[in-house]
């Protein structure tokens, strides 16, 4: 069935039901026309329920058929009622009609519960709330309606029993409606319509207890509520949401939460206050001697016990959630390990006891895994690593996740009297940790090899837990700087070295602000004529006190503290601007391309490609006149770095692979990274003129370049003999001190250094 068709059917049924309900009061109640009109709509309701079951094939179809049986019994009661008063001209109360009406009550309740089964299951808080609400209302109903009917000695016993049976059975409806209204979660449209029908039925039943006695002329108006009930029930069966109940798992999950909102709390409070309200009202109306003490007393006790049970459940739930929150506050959600807070608390105790030994582990290459394979694989990797680390420790040792891909180990923290062992205990633990990480990790269908840089420290000479952590952290960074996958213990000289790096980092920041950096340019020439075809931009730092500082000294520090991003952007702008100046000044004699080195840290910046495009637009340099040089190491891990290179290539920028042949997997990279130029490393050029095997690699690399249609640039050419041999092997571009050192203004018009 199409959704649109289902909606139109339900809408049409509701419109018809509302029209019937509005029209009925205008008919004369107790006439054949009114009876036929009323009972015909009940028959239509039965047909709608059956049609809805056939149309939607609900899971709880038995419940709908039971419900239809209740509607059928009410129909028999209505027909019998009219026969008594219109054909037999007898009083319809009490009569056989009452048997049909009374029998319909349990079927209504049972059918509704069957239909709602799965939506009301195990909602204990809702059941208690519904019981409290229905208990309070039942007390009022008993004291003011049922008890007076049962005690009226002026009426025959059968009439009193049947008369009291109706409001007594209405208590079932009160309890049912209360349960439907306060249930956990959101009602489906079908169950909501069923609930509204029950409410209108209950309202009409309540009014009918008083209207025949006090206002018989409004008996036809009361019937509107019963017509509206039929309307809602037919719509509930026809609606598409009657097909299946809410998933049980969802219901159970919802049922564990206390649903004591403001509205429900106010409703529960009002119902518990009904006991004193009944005392006041009945006492004022009939006098203290007429109070129904037994009913009020029983009602008060029952309500008190129910409220006590509800509050006890609520308190237990709050305590359980408080315990869960405390556990979450001390536990890392991803790995299940203790978190930094727990580690620092335990470390403080160990430092105070004088036996603190700490190791900090930082995973090598984890960022590449995240960038290349996604965070889901990275998270799985962290979970596996955490499990292995925990399994490698002794009883009483503690491992915690400090954040990101960093873990910390504290020896002998399991109890106040635990000992760390001998001073060499840390070495043995580190070996076990490293061994645990050597095995490949299966994550997301990938087999990953992961290592860790480990730094360790103890509490010698300090009672400050933060100082012990700082020492281990410095040692870990020293291990990482040494190439990763190593263990480094803390020593005083690491502080001095770290202090120098920190000082140098601060000076780089100042140098950027004060303009102490400058760009020099080394020619790249064509062979054999030595004509300058392009230049490579290189950065120099003229320190006011220390003189010229080598890039090998400050570039790694700038990479580590992130200043390479700002420094690299400045170099790019400066070099591109200079290229445009030389093009305008020298024309064809000037360099045709500008080559700029870009680090892995820059490539990982999300906006790097946009920065290059902005610089090209700002300077007016054409994209094909810019060469971006990247190292094999920078793009080996894939991820954002490779994507940035691809984006630059699509922009029209030329890509050069620097120091080619010295990285991880040179030939493999040529298949995944768009490359235009190979820059053959100086180490292969140095021995090019020697006999034997020394020229084999240089020869192979020029053949690879030619076969792939790439340009090859030989780096580090220092002699005329090297240049001549490179030309003989097939190289047509070269760079090195033989052709020119890096200077601010290369001599584009001077004498060329020719080969041969």
């Amino acid at each position: 069935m199409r959704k649109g068709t289902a909606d139109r059917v339900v809408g049409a049924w509701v419109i018809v039901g509302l029209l019937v309900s509005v029209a009925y009061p205008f008919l004369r109640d107790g006439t054949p026309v009114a009876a036929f009109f009323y009972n015909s709509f009940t028959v239509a309701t039965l047909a709608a329920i059956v049609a809805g079951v056939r149309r939607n094939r609900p899971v709880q179809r038995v419940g709908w058929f039971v419900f239809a049986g209740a509607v059928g019994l009410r129909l028999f009661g209505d027909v019998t009622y009219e026969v008594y008063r219109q054909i037999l001209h007898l009083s319809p109360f009490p009569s056989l009609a009452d048997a049909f009406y009374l029998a319909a009550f349990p079927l209504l309740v049972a059918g509704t519960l069957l239909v709602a089964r799965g939506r009301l299951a195990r909602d204990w808080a809702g059941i208690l709330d519904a019981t409290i609400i229905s208990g309070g209302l039942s007390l009022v109903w008993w004291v003011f309606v049922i008890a007076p009917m049962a005690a009226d000695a002026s009426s025959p016993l059968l009439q009193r029993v049947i008369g009291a049976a109706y409001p007594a059975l209405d208590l079932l409806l009160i309890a049912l409606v209360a349960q439907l209204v306060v249930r956990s979660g959101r009602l489906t449209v079908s169950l909501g319509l069923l609930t509204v029908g029950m409410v209108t039925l209950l309202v009409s039943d309540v009014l009918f207890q008083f209207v025949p006695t006090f206002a018989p002329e409004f008996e036809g108006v009361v019937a509107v509520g019963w017509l509206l009930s039929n309307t809602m029930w037919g719509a509930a069966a026809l609606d598409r949401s009657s097909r299946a109940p809410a998933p049980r798992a969802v219901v159970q999950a919802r049922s564990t939460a206390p649903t004591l909102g403001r509205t429900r709390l106010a409703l529960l409070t009002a119902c518990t206050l009904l006991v004193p309200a009944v005392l006041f009202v009945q006492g004022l109306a009939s006098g203290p001697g007429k109070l129904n003490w037994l009913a009020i007393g029983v009602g008060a006790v029952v309500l008190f016990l129910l409220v006590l049970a509800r509050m006890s459940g609520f308190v237990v739930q709050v305590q359980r959630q408080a315990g869960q929150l405390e556990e979450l506050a001390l536990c890392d959600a991803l790995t299940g390990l203790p978190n930094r807070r727990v580690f620092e608390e335990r470390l403080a105790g160990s430092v105070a006891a004088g036996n603190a030994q700490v190791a900090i582990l930082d995973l090598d290459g984890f960022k590449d895994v995240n960038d290349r394979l996604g965070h889901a694989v990275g998270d799985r990797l962290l979970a596996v690593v955490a499990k292995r680390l925990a399994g490698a420790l002794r009883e009483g040792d503690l491992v915690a996740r400090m954040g990101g891909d960093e873990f910390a180990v504290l020896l002998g923290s399991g109890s106040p009297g635990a000992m760390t062992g001998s001073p060499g205990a840390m070495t043995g633990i580190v070996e076990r940790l490293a061994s645990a990480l050597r095995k490949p990790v299966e994550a997301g269908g990938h087999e990953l090899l992961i290592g860790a840089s480990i730094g360790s420290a103890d509490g010698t000479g300090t009672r400050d837990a933060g100082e012990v952590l700082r020492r281990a952290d410095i040692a870990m960074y020293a291990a990482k700087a040494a190439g990763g996958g190593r263990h480094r213990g803390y020593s005083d000289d690491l502080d001095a070295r770290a202090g120098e790096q920190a000082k140098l980092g601060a000076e780089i920041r100042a140098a950027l602000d004060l303009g102490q950096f400058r760009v020099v340019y080394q020619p790249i020439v064509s062979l054999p004529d030595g004509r300058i075809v392009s230049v490579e931009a290189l950065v120099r730092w003229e320190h006011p006190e220390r003189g010229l500082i080598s890039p090998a000294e400050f570039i790694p520090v700038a990479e580590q503290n992130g200043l390479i991003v700002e420094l690299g952007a400045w170099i790019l702008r400066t070099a591109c601007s200079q290229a445009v100046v030389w093009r305008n000044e020298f024309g064809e004699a000037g360099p045709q391309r500008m080559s700029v080195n870009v680090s892995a840290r820059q490539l990982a910046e999300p906006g790097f490609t946009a920065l290059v495009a902005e610089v090209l637009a700002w300077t007016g340099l054409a994209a094909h006149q810019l060469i971006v040089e990247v190292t094999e190491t920078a793009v080996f891990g894939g991820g954002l770095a490779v994507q940035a290179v691809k984006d630059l290539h699509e922009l029209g920028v030329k890509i050069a692979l620097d120091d080619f042949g010295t990285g991880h997997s040179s030939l493999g990279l040529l298949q995944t990274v768009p490359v235009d130029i190979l820059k053959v490393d100086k180490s292969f050029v140095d021995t090019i003129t020697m006999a034997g095997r020394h020229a084999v690699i240089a020869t192979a690399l020029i053949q690879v370049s030619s076969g792939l249609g790439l340009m090859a640039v030989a780096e580090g050419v220092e002699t005329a003999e090297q240049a001549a041999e490179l030309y003989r092997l097939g190289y047509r571009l070269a760079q090195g001190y033989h052709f020119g050192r890096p200077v601010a203004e290369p001599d584009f018009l001077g004498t060329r250094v020719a080969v041969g």
Side-chain angles (χ1 to χ4, degrees), residues 611-694:
L611 171 67
V612 173
E614 176 191 333
V615 170
L616 292 175
W618 175 67
T619 60
L621 185 68
H624 71 275
Q625 293 178 312
L626 174 64
I627 300 172
V628 167
E629 293 193 20
V630 299
T631 63
E632 297 174 71
T633 306
V635 294
F636 174 72
L640 294 177
V642 170
Q643 188 58 50
V645 170
K646 291 179 179 178
D647 293 342
L648 289 171
H649 198 260
E650 291 180 2
L651 195 64
V653 174
K654 301 295 182 182
I655 304 298
L657 206 54
D658 199 12
D659 301 331
F660 187 73
T662 62
H664 295 278
S665 179
S666 303
L667 296 179
L669 282 177
L670 298 180
Q671 298 178 341
T672 58
V673 180
V675 176
D676 302 291
I677 303 165
L678 297 183
K679 301 197 74 175
V680 179
D681 189 70
K682 182 181 185 298
S683 60
F684 305 125
V685 175
D686 287 342
T687 57
I688 195 76
T689 58
M690 299 175 64
R693 302 170 55 190
H694 300 287

Side-chain angles (χ1 to χ4, degrees), residues 32 122 272 311 341 381 406 431 479 592 640 644 649 665 668 685:
R122 298 185 62 179
T272 56
M311 292 300 102
R341 175 183 167 188
L381 173 62
E406 189 175 284
E431 290 176 356
Q592 299 306 303
L640 294 177
H649 198 260
S665 179
V685 175

Side-chain angles (χ1 to χ4, degrees), residues 660-661 678 680-689 692-706 712-715 722 725-726 728-731:
F660 187 73
L678 297 183
V680 179
D681 189 70
K682 182 181 185 298
S683 60
F684 305 125
V685 175
D686 287 342
T687 57
I688 195 76
T689 58
R693 302 170 55 190
H694 300 287
V696 172
I697 295 179
T699 303
L701 292 179
I702 188 62
Q703 291 173 348
V704 168
S705 301
S706 300
V713 178
E715 294 186 289
Q722 290 175 341
E725 181 62 16
L726 288 167
R728 187 187 71 79
L729 292 176
Y731 285 86

Side-chain angles (χ1 to χ4, degrees), residues 286-310:
S286 306
K290 298 291 186 179
L291 287 176
N292 193 336
W293 294 107
L294 179 61
I296 296 174
V298 171
V301 171
V302 170
L303 283 175
F304 174 78
L305 293 176
L306 289 172
V307 171
L308 181 62
R310 181 64 170 100

